[in-house]
Amino acid sequence: MAPTDPTAVPPTPQHPALHPVVADVTARVTDRSRASRTAYLQRISRAASELSLRPARTDLGCSNLAHAVAACGGSDRTVMAADTGVSLGIITSYNDMLSAHAPFEHYPAAMKQTAREVGAVARVAGGVPAMCDGITQGRAGMELSLFSRDVIAMSAAIALSHDVFDGVLMLGVCDKIVPGLVAGALAFGHLPTALVPAGPMASGRSNAEKAETRKAFAAGEVGREELLESEVASYHSPGTCTFYGTANSNQMLMDVMGLHLPGAAFVHPDDPLRDALTAATTARVAEIAASDTPYGIGQVVDEKAVVNGVVALLATGGSTNHTMHLISMAAAAGIDLTWEDFDDLSTAIPSVARIYPNGPADVNHFDAAGGTAFLVRTLIDHGLLHEDVLTLAGPGLRRYTQRPVLVDGRLEFVDVATESGDPAVLRAADDPFSVDGGLRVLGGTLGHAVIKVSAVAPEHRVVEAPARVFTDQVGFLQAFSRRELDRDVVVVIREQGPSANGMPELHALTPSLGVLQKRGYAVALVTDGRMSGASGAIPAAIHVTPESVHAGPISKLQDGDVVRVDSLTGRLDVLVDDEEFAARVPSPRVSEEGIGTGRELFAAMRGAVGRADEGAHVFGSLGRLWEKADAAPFLSHEETR
């Protein structure tokens, strides 16, 4: 094939044997998911069979179709009214308040033009909300953040429910937006679908400098003026933030799971290459939809792709939010993924990237060192990724060992270098920064939790100290300012789980906890809330399940109880006599029900949300839903008329 073709396949070397742990976990996921995955695939196969001989819109009644065509003009109207031609739906998270999503303003117009050039039509089917966890940190609005993922999934489903599209283009980047878009698209899993990124902003003030200024502010050493100057110098232009939090973990995952074109994740918004990739993505989805053998996102997101996502997340020290998001996305495809799958894979997956908060570099440095193309190459070559998967670019993940470039204005895909461009940022799998993925699942007398230790120094990976219990961040910060926490301490923040208040991120704690550690104290955090992808040097047992308001053991903790957070053995325990602890009555709820800033509108979601270790979504057991749907008689459109 021509080198400009994103589906061109690079030479395939001898396939190494798949690592036994990767093979075992994949087999376990496949076996556990057999009934729900089979039911899901049968459902999307039935939906696809209705499109096999005609575009979806030709099955509409004339009056229905007239409404769908009314706003079209010119060639778009001709294509939409004809029995042939591809109709692409654009789902956009554009808003011009947020740096990551502002670049999407001009994407639909460019996509429409590309679609016309290939004989298709593209139209904005709908928009989804995109909120910023950076703005809402420590604010009431953060209590809506996790739920926004499921609102996005439902919003995408509403947009696609008009049943006039043959393919989908999903415009999204940040924390909850991408997982929500993927889940929404998987409900229409028979449709060819691409995720379309906007890319990161250019590097500003380093993340390490920013973190030090935050600590200095928390310690009272600098004022608000200096802090604001530092923050503005760090977040300074359109694009995603440059640290390796959930947003950039999303983008890496979409590359490795084959839902982007190769290497699309980390190209800057103002780079001409970005426009070329967006055009090529549009053309590729139209090509798949018009082919004799179209395939949808439900076929791309299979058990192997999901395991590949977990492997890549662990290898790069990505966001702990994905211990929920990947589980939820997998469930939307009928796949049952668990925390234990993450834990087992983490023992076998080497850490090959050092991106802030796991190191000083940002995602631009990571991309310059070889980026996802080098990452995929080294993981495949060492038997740590499934190569035999279906992707947006076509069969085989080996395609994603190439990176996009512009040559005389033409998009080409070239082989990535065989060596990292910066071994301080990105390394080969046989020369890693550490031999494991840095994520642990904890279990013990305080329940089930996760901890990310890739940025935690070895001497801090086991902490045993008296607990100080709080029910919100404000109480902790007040105690810190009064110097009440100047000692070895396990800080416990409860009533922060999904059912309590939507499971907000608790990053307001990080600078103060860092100050305590810097003062020489042994410090750890235990919470049923979240710390996200920016969790760093403080050992933090997060997502504790069962959560406090469901009478989980964390609800019985008292000030002074000795708590042990042991990431080496995977234990999370309170060192209180078992009988005494069992006899305790859970503490009554202290925090108020969420009212204000729109929180009252989400009471039903707080009541319906599942456990953190099951994805913390409001859709119940999607696996059982697919099985139930498969048991029901299927009626074609013709039969329902």
Side-chain angles (χ1 to χ4, degrees):
M1 294 184 179
T4 55
D5 186 346
T7 67
V9 186
T12 302
Q14 182 79 27
H15 286 291
L18 193 65
H19 192 288
V21 172
V22 177
D24 288 348
V25 170
T26 306
R28 185 170 71 203
V29 171
T30 301
D31 185 63
R32 187 194 307 131
S33 309
R34 196 170 308 281
S36 55
R37 178 64 176 171
T38 298
Y40 173 79
L41 290 174
Q42 288 174 345
R43 187 181 71 82
I44 66 172
S45 177
R46 289 167 177 165
S49 69
E50 295 199 299
L51 303 182
S52 60
L53 299 178
R54 60 188 185 278
R57 64 189 178 279
T58 60
D59 201 37
L60 297 177
C62 293
S63 177
N64 306 67
L65 185 58
H67 285 285
V69 175
C72 289
S75 62
D76 289 355
R77 177 178 286 263
T78 302
V79 172
M80 284 297 294
D83 289 345
T84 59
V86 168
S87 169
L88 302 178
I90 301 170
I91 309 293
T92 178
S93 61
Y94 163 71
N95 64 65
D96 62 6
M97 183 185 75
L98 303 181
S99 64
H101 298 89
F104 285 135
E105 179 179 6
H106 304 293
Y107 278 40
M111 289 172 155
K112 291 176 184 181
Q113 182 56 39
T114 297
R116 293 183 188 114
E117 292 170 0
V118 297
V121 58
R123 291 187 297 164
V124 175
V128 300
M131 65 177 292
C132 178
D133 289 359
I135 294 174
T136 56
Q137 282 295 335
R139 312 286 297 176
M142 175 58 80
E143 296 184 16
L144 309 187
S145 174
L146 180 60
F147 293 139
S148 75
R149 179 194 65 189
D150 297 354
V151 171
I152 289 163
M154 292 185 284
S155 299
I158 290 170
L160 295 176
S161 68
H162 296 98
D163 205 19
V164 297
F165 302 110
D166 307 296
V168 186
L169 297 159
M170 295 277 192
L171 279 58
V173 178
C174 282
D175 296 18
K176 315 309 171 297
I177 293 86
V178 167
L181 289 173
V182 171
L186 285 166
F188 297 79
H190 60 292
L191 294 178
T193 301
L195 274 290
V196 184
M201 65 179 67
S203 300
R205 179 167 293 182
S206 76
N207 289 293
E209 291 178 294
K210 175 189 68 180
E212 287 304 311
T213 304
R214 287 178 177 179
K215 290 179 184 177
F217 178 77
E221 297 167 3
V222 302
R224 178 179 170 83
E225 184 176 348
E226 291 89 345
L227 178 64
L228 181 59
E229 179 185 359
S230 172
E231 297 293 327
V232 171
S234 301
Y235 308 119
H236 58 86
S237 65
T240 62
C241 309
T242 60
F243 69 89
Y244 196 45
T246 310
N248 287 314
S249 295
N250 281 337
Q251 299 314 302
M252 181 278 301
L253 286 173
M254 294 303 98
D255 265 18
V256 176
M257 294 174 70
L259 294 172
H260 285 166
L261 284 185
F266 300 123
V267 178
H268 290 173
D270 57 356
D271 190 326
L273 180 57
R274 177 88 276 156
D275 296 333
L277 281 164
T278 301
T281 301
T282 304
R284 177 59 181 161
V285 173
E287 179 186 21
I288 297 170
S291 71
D292 293 334
T293 55
Y295 57 91
I297 187 174
Q299 293 157 278
V300 173
V301 180
D302 65 3
E303 297 91 336
K304 291 180 179 179
V306 167
V307 169
N308 281 351
V310 177
V311 167
L313 185 80
L314 294 168
T316 55
S319 169
T320 52
N321 270 333
H322 279 293
T323 60
M324 293 183 295
H325 295 331
L326 271 167
I327 288 174
S328 186
M329 287 188 284
I335 298 167
D336 188 357
L337 183 70
T338 71
W339 278 0
E340 282 63 39
D341 299 325
F342 283 82
D343 195 43
D344 288 350
L345 286 168
S346 187
T347 64
I349 305 305
S351 176
V352 299
R354 280 288 181 263
I355 322 170
Y356 187 85
N358 306 318
D362 65 24
V363 294
N364 294 315
H365 303 129
F366 168 76
D367 191 57
T372 54
F374 183 89
L375 174 72
V376 170
R377 179 174 187 157
T378 191
L379 294 177
I380 287 179
D381 288 350
H382 290 85
L384 297 169
L385 285 177
H386 294 280
E387 197 280 332
D388 55 333
V389 293
L390 185 60
T391 74
L392 176 65
L397 193 62
R398 181 70 59 175
R399 289 174 166 83
Y400 287 73
T401 64
Q402 294 188 316
R403 60 185 305 152
V405 295
L406 283 180
V407 179
D408 296 328
R410 296 177 305 159
L411 178 63
E412 297 189 4
F413 290 80
V414 300
D415 289 335
V416 71
T418 57
E419 296 184 2
S420 169
D422 187 349
V425 177
L426 181 61
R427 292 186 180 179
D430 58 357
D431 181 31
F433 293 101
S434 64
V435 295
D436 64 53
L439 184 75
R440 304 282 187 276
V441 173
L442 305 178
T445 54
L446 285 178
H448 207 200
V450 295
I451 186 170
K452 188 169 84 170
V453 296
S454 48
V456 177
E459 63 269 25
H460 298 312
R461 294 187 179 185
V462 178
V463 174
E464 182 179 310
R468 180 68 188 274
V469 182
F470 303 93
T471 57
D472 57 34
Q473 297 180 86
V474 174
F476 163 79
L477 293 171
Q478 290 172 344
F480 171 80
S481 66
R482 294 192 296 263
R483 303 293 293 261
E484 294 174 6
L485 302 177
D486 282 15
R487 56 181 173 81
D488 292 352
V489 62
V490 174
V491 174
V492 177
I493 313 285
R494 63 190 178 201
E495 300 186 23
Q496 303 299 308
S499 295
N501 60 357
M503 206 181 194
E505 288 182 345
L506 304 175
H507 285 312
L509 309 175
T510 303
S512 300
L513 291 170
V515 169
L516 293 176
Q517 190 183 73
K518 191 174 181 179
R519 289 173 180 166
Y521 301 115
V523 182
L525 173 70
V526 174
T527 181
D528 48 11
R530 293 187 292 127
M531 286 293 281
S532 177
S535 51
I538 306 299
I542 60 176
H543 307 177
V544 172
T545 306
E547 62 176 287
S548 176
V549 299
H550 291 317
I554 190 175
S555 68
K556 296 183 178 183
L557 281 176
Q558 300 173 1
D559 286 344
D561 287 345
V562 176
V563 172
R564 182 176 177 87
V565 180
D566 188 341
S567 65
L568 300 182
T569 63
R571 296 290 303 181
L572 176 63
D573 292 300
V574 55
L575 305 185
V576 173
D577 178 77
D578 290 345
E579 290 187 7
E580 176 191 341
F581 195 72
R584 287 184 185 176
V585 176
S587 298
R589 182 170 180 172
V590 175
S591 60
E592 297 179 0
E593 293 284 345
I595 297 176
T597 321
R599 288 176 291 172
E600 59 272 22
L601 302 178
F602 288 76
M605 299 187 85
R606 290 193 293 272
V609 68
R611 293 163 52 117
D613 55 2
E614 295 177 350
H617 57 224
V618 301
F619 305 129
S621 175
L622 284 172
R624 287 196 290 273
L625 176 64
W626 299 140
E627 293 176 54
K628 182 178 179 180
D630 186 58
F634 175 75
L635 299 178
S636 69
H637 286 307
E638 292 295 334
E639 291 172 307
T640 58
R641 288 185 172 183

